[in-house]
Amino acid sequence: SLGPGFGCVKGVAQHLLEHGRPGTATDRLAMYADRTNTPAKPELIADVLDALVTAPPEQQQLVSSYELQRLLEMLRTSSLDDARLAGLEWQLLPGLGYGVPAPTLERRLARDPEFFVQLLSLCFKRADGSSEGESSPDMVHNAYRLLHEWSVVPGSPEAGGQVDEAKLKDWLDRTLELLAESGRTVIGQHYIGHIFAHAKEDGDGTWPTQPVRDAIERLANEEIERGFGTEIFNNRGVSSRGLTDGGRQERDLVQRFENWEALIRDQWPRTASVLRSVAEG
């Protein structure tokens, strides 16, 4: 019986994998993910997902975005090696659906300058126009999507996390070196500004968090500041309102950014200038 108490899902998944049916194996593992006291080993789940990536379309079509998300979430709470998990997130990213985070890859971006510059190099040509060969459209799409959805500030362990100032400084210094070598300094600085806009608010009510403000002042870079301001606007997303609301939402936002600007203007003037510009906009 394949009812809720079915206890042979691991063996079934293994046999399906051995007989070239990773899509069916994935479906079974996801179906029984929370119905057994002895869940499948993370290595088996990873092997099945690895096989699914290169499986024929008729096998891939058996698996929904929800099932992929469910199994990846199981792996994120398991003992699976982070490098392998990041590889799986990268390969499965097109099948996860828009707006679905890839936290392992985002954490890697936040600690690995080489990975950040590698993704930028997939999406953007060198500033001098020299050719470096073409990348596959799938890789370019993955890279652009990951950069667009990235929200883990370098120096922090997770989205919205506490930023370690020394780690942030090391990441920035190495990243700027690599950007210069790769001929992508300007676009890279713009994306650095983007990620600063995802920083947390500090306990004293100031924003962005002090390590990010310190970095903005230290670097004194207009492109980073421009990217920071642009992403603040982008983070708002689509707004909606009632027929009689008028501009109340905008007035509330202006007040918020003016308050933050007033709190930091004396010690962090460049950061405050961006916040003032956002309020005026």
Side-chain angles (χ1 to χ4, degrees):
S1 169
L2 293 178
F6 183 63
C8 301
V9 61
K10 296 186 292 297
V12 168
Q14 184 67 57
H15 283 299
L16 287 168
L17 182 59
E18 292 169 358
H19 286 81
R21 297 175 64 189
T24 311
T26 304
D27 177 71
R28 294 297 180 269
L29 286 172
M31 181 185 299
Y32 290 95
D34 57 2
R35 299 189 189 183
T36 175
N37 293 325
T38 55
K41 291 183 178 179
E43 290 77 13
L44 173 59
I45 297 175
D47 288 345
V48 169
L49 293 176
D50 269 332
L52 180 68
V53 172
T54 56
E58 60 268 20
Q59 280 291 306
Q60 295 179 345
Q61 291 166 4
L62 295 172
V63 183
S64 69
S65 171
Y66 172 75
E67 289 172 323
L68 293 178
Q69 294 173 42
R70 194 174 188 189
L71 291 176
L72 282 173
E73 196 54 46
M74 288 180 65
L75 293 179
R76 291 174 188 134
T77 59
S78 75
S79 58
L80 189 71
D81 176 74
D82 239 25
R84 188 170 188 196
L85 181 51
L88 285 169
E89 282 188 351
W90 175 261
Q91 294 179 89
L92 295 170
L93 200 58
L96 294 178
Y98 286 98
V100 177
T104 312
L105 288 170
E106 291 191 32
R107 288 196 300 271
R108 183 178 174 189
L109 275 170
R111 67 172 183 265
D112 186 347
E114 285 78 6
F115 184 51
F116 171 64
V117 175
Q118 179 186 359
L119 293 192
L120 277 174
S121 299
L122 286 171
C123 299
F124 302 99
K125 296 184 182 299
R126 292 179 59 95
D128 59 16
S130 59
S131 176
E132 296 176 314
E134 295 295 323
S135 302
S136 76
D138 287 343
M139 290 185 67
V140 173
H141 178 79
N142 265 15
Y144 183 80
R145 174 178 167 179
L146 187 55
L147 287 170
H148 180 71
E149 297 179 353
W150 181 31
S151 62
V152 180
V153 179
S156 65
E158 59 190 358
Q162 188 73 33
V163 178
D164 182 297
E165 187 154 10
K167 290 181 179 179
L168 173 60
K169 182 180 184 301
D170 290 345
W171 187 93
L172 287 168
D173 290 347
R174 178 59 177 155
T175 294
L176 291 170
E177 289 177 6
L178 292 171
L179 288 171
E181 293 170 7
S182 72
R184 293 171 174 86
T185 295
V186 173
I187 189 62
Q189 291 169 343
H190 197 73
Y191 271 88
I192 290 170
H194 280 193
I195 196 59
F196 282 173
H198 293 273
K200 67 184 287 291
E201 182 177 359
D202 280 344
D204 60 0
T206 56
W207 183 85
T209 186
Q210 183 175 334
V212 168
R213 301 197 301 268
D214 289 343
I216 291 172
E217 302 302 318
R218 177 176 72 90
L219 295 171
N221 183 283
E222 291 185 0
E223 194 62 43
I224 290 175
E225 292 160 19
R226 191 174 296 115
F228 176 49
T230 299
E231 188 68 359
I232 292 172
F233 278 104
N234 292 342
N235 283 344
R236 188 186 181 198
V238 177
S239 66
S240 61
R241 68 202 68 215
L243 291 173
T244 61
D245 284 353
R248 180 174 53 82
Q249 291 184 27
E250 284 71 25
R251 288 191 292 273
D252 289 346
L253 285 171
V254 168
Q255 187 64 58
R256 182 189 308 171
F257 284 103
E258 286 180 343
N259 289 343
W260 280 330
E261 187 264 342
L263 287 170
I264 69 172
R265 66 164 72 108
D266 292 338
Q267 289 183 266
W268 298 275
R270 298 189 73 97
T271 311
S273 177
V274 177
L275 299 184
R276 182 166 57 252
S277 176
V278 170
E280 292 171 351

